[in-house]
Amino acid sequence: MIAYVVMALVIIALSLLLTMFRVMREYERAVVFLLGRFYKVKGPGLIVIVPIIQQMVRVDLRIVVMDVPTQDVISRDNVSVKVNAVVYYRVLDPQKSVINVENYNEATSQLAQTTLRSVLGQHELDEMLASREDLNEDIQRILDVQTDGWGIKVSNVEIKHVDLDERMIRAIAKQAEAERIRRAKVIHATGELEASEKLREAASILAKQPQAIQLRYLQTLTEIASDKTNTIAFPLPLEILKAFGIQESESS
């Protein structure tokens, strides 16, 4: 009888001895509690956990890629859109991540969803579509500050999609078309203004040299005459018209 008891005690001692040794990988840490109170953070490598009086919580230090579910957001200009994003974060302080929050993964996910709605709701639709980098930085900064007490470091936030309904897409297309038409009209008007200024300068120069008008007249005749036309143009000197008493203004 005594032999069986001794054998049982030996087996129990060996099993407890084997459970004392734990191996932590390079990216893992063990948050150790001694009789319910925080003791220390151990790892990586081989660590010793005293059974019964010590407990261990394993924490992963690798970067977590978390997909933020699609959120219904109403922009500042009252446009309803659906937005989803992705958040990159990792545990920097294993002690805080275990003691200060019950489940840091779930807490970070819920905080990311509320922050996404809150930040995007303060901006107009055009800013959501054109200034994503600034919005990403704002969301990342807010998340990083609020998760600091949990031992979490949010390294990056990326808005993936901003989905609009068909009516809003058509309205944006009409707005873009109107903007292109406006730019075309402005460019055309600017060209007319520049052309009129150049014509005014040319008229001023030609007025100082009347012979230049004759040269320009002959050049124009050479430009309109070609091999494929039946029109024959004969230059008529203006001096002949003057001899008949016809003013230059009337002949033109």
Side-chain angles (χ1 to χ4, degrees):
M1 185 65 182
I2 297 176
Y4 288 111
V5 174
V6 172
M7 185 177 296
L9 293 176
V10 170
I11 293 174
I12 294 174
L14 289 175
S15 61
L16 292 177
L17 184 63
L18 292 176
T19 57
M20 290 176 59
F21 299 100
R22 306 288 178 86
V23 176
M24 295 290 107
R25 296 182 178 90
E26 183 65 30
Y27 55 83
E28 293 178 329
R29 298 296 183 271
V31 180
V32 182
F33 294 88
L34 179 62
L35 296 177
R37 297 178 62 87
F38 172 74
Y39 177 58
K40 65 166 54 174
V41 177
K42 293 184 177 182
L46 181 65
I47 64 174
V48 177
I49 302 296
V50 180
I52 300 176
I53 65 173
Q54 287 185 343
Q55 296 82 34
M56 180 197 76
V57 178
R58 193 183 299 263
V59 179
D60 195 324
L61 302 184
R62 291 177 294 182
I63 294 178
V64 178
V65 182
M66 182 185 65
D67 186 37
V68 181
T70 301
Q71 303 295 309
D72 292 326
V73 179
I74 298 179
S75 63
R76 192 172 62 181
D77 50 349
N78 296 324
V79 178
S80 179
V81 297
K82 295 181 180 296
V83 184
N84 63 345
V86 60
V87 179
Y88 300 84
Y89 68 94
R90 63 188 296 262
V91 176
L92 286 185
D93 192 333
Q95 176 185 351
K96 291 181 179 179
S97 68
V98 173
I99 297 177
N100 293 354
V101 62
E102 180 181 2
N103 186 333
Y104 64 85
N105 288 316
E106 181 65 21
T108 305
S109 175
Q110 294 298 325
L111 181 61
Q113 296 177 39
T114 56
T115 304
L116 182 66
R117 292 195 299 268
S118 176
V119 172
L120 296 184
Q122 300 174 7
H123 296 79
E124 297 182 356
L125 178 61
D126 292 341
E127 296 175 346
M128 294 184 193
L129 299 176
S131 304
R132 288 194 182 185
E133 293 296 331
D134 296 335
L135 296 177
N136 292 337
E137 293 178 0
D138 291 342
I139 298 172
Q140 184 268 333
R141 183 175 62 255
I142 294 174
L143 288 177
D144 194 30
V145 171
Q146 296 187 3
T147 58
D148 183 66
W150 304 341
I152 304 296
K153 171 63 179 178
V154 179
S155 58
N156 194 17
V157 175
E158 292 290 340
I159 297 175
K160 295 196 297 184
H161 299 292
V162 178
D163 296 330
L164 304 172
D165 57 16
E166 293 296 331
R167 291 180 299 175
M168 185 54 61
I169 293 176
R170 289 194 294 268
I172 293 176
K174 291 181 180 179
Q175 180 182 2
E177 182 180 0
E179 178 65 20
R180 288 193 295 269
I181 294 174
R182 183 189 69 83
R183 292 180 182 178
K185 290 182 178 179
V186 171
I187 293 173
H188 180 72
T190 303
E192 292 292 336
L193 177 61
E194 294 179 356
S196 63
E197 292 177 353
K198 295 299 180 181
L199 289 174
R200 179 177 59 82
E201 295 176 1
S204 177
I205 295 174
L206 292 175
K208 297 178 182 178
Q209 298 291 335
Q211 296 82 2
I213 299 177
Q214 283 290 97
L215 295 176
R216 181 59 182 165
Y217 173 67
L218 295 175
Q219 182 181 359
T220 303
L221 292 178
T222 59
E223 291 176 355
I224 64 176
S226 63
D227 297 337
K228 298 180 180 181
T229 180
N230 296 325
T231 303
I232 301 175
F234 292 96
L236 182 64
L238 296 179
E239 287 77 5
I240 297 177
L241 299 179
K242 292 180 180 178
F244 288 97
I246 301 176
Q247 299 297 324
E248 295 182 9
S249 60
E250 296 177 354
S251 63
S252 59

